[in-house]
Amino acid sequence: PPVFAIRCTKRLLDRSRLPFAVASAPTTTVLGDWYANILITRPQHLVLCISEKTLLPVVVTAKDLKALPSRLTKALEDMLGRIGVPQSLVHAEVREMSESYFAKTESRKVLGSLNDFMFHLQDGCASDTFLSLEERAMKLANMPSGAIEFAFPSEQTLSLFQAKQAIEAAQSAA
């Protein structure tokens, strides 16, 4: 069945009291699991989520954290469309995100990138108060990241989906 994990930082798990799984099911999404951390700001608290495979960031509000999977999925759908992923692939990824579970973080590399993005998001919240959550996420998506050879998460994501599309086309032609 389609499934993915939201790998929460200790801070987010402690704050939310979300139930988390110890044993994990393999992720079926193109973008892998999602790492999440909470940012306490005014006027609203935010959750920054990044894709395990491409570090693509998505920013959502922190209200009702039990609904985080559906808000993440909706925000990701918008972000993928914004960066140019074909709609058929966007819909396929959203379908694969129909089931989720909360878990602890595993990758120190992804966690380091999440912390780096948290710093930039916090700085942006203080200085760019007029930006929407989508605009904040897009600014982060267009920042080079050392964890992915100084590529942009938005470009890495688009390349990953283009590769998936090419593989599927080759398989259907064979």
Side-chain angles (χ1 to χ4, degrees), residues 55-84:
L55 307 182
L56 184 72
V58 173
V59 181
V60 296
T61 60
K63 65 180 179 195
D64 185 22
L65 287 167
K66 287 182 180 66
L68 179 59
S70 62
R71 281 203 309 284
L72 168 60
T73 302
K74 174 66 179 117
L76 176 63
E77 185 175 8
D78 295 342
M79 173 64 91
L80 291 176
R82 219 176 292 117
I83 64 172

Side-chain angles (χ1 to χ4, degrees), residues 7-174:
R7 299 199 169 276
C8 303
T9 61
K10 181 175 180 348
R11 181 177 184 199
L12 179 55
L13 285 173
D14 288 350
R15 190 156 191 70
S16 65
R17 297 192 184 98
L18 292 168
F20 63 91
V22 177
S24 56
T27 299
T28 60
T29 64
V30 172
L31 293 173
D33 288 339
W34 285 81
Y35 280 61
N37 197 359
I38 190 164
L39 177 63
I40 310 300
T41 62
R42 298 275 177 237
Q44 60 188 348
H45 300 335
L46 304 173
V47 175
L48 171 62
C49 304
I50 65 170
S51 158
E52 179 179 45
K53 290 187 180 175
T54 67
L55 307 182
L56 184 72
V58 173
V59 181
V60 296
T61 60
K63 65 180 179 195
D64 185 22
L65 287 167
K66 287 182 180 66
L68 179 59
S70 62
R71 281 203 309 284
L72 168 60
T73 302
K74 174 66 179 117
L76 176 63
E77 185 175 8
D78 295 342
M79 173 64 91
L80 291 176
R82 219 176 292 117
I83 64 172
V85 175
Q87 278 305 108
S88 61
L89 297 177
V90 172
H91 293 312
E93 185 74 353
V94 167
R95 271 193 310 277
E96 290 300 312
M97 294 176 78
S98 61
E99 292 292 324
S100 64
Y101 62 93
F102 294 101
K104 291 182 176 182
T105 59
E106 285 184 341
S107 168
R108 292 177 68 181
K109 179 175 150 183
V110 179
L111 190 56
S113 297
L114 178 62
N115 288 335
D116 187 37
F117 281 154
M118 286 290 289
F119 170 78
H120 290 286
L121 179 61
Q122 188 170 15
D123 185 53
C125 285
S127 60
D128 298 329
T129 56
F130 56 90
L131 292 179
S132 69
L133 296 181
E134 295 81 13
E135 290 168 325
R136 291 178 197 287
M138 189 56 90
K139 280 184 82 168
L140 295 173
N142 290 317
M143 278 180 21
S145 175
I148 51 175
E149 309 300 319
F150 294 98
F152 301 100
S154 58
E155 291 175 2
Q156 287 288 100
T157 301
L158 189 55
S159 294
L160 187 63
F161 278 99
Q162 287 169 339
K164 177 182 173 40
Q165 191 172 33
I167 290 167
E168 287 174 354
Q171 288 172 339
S172 67

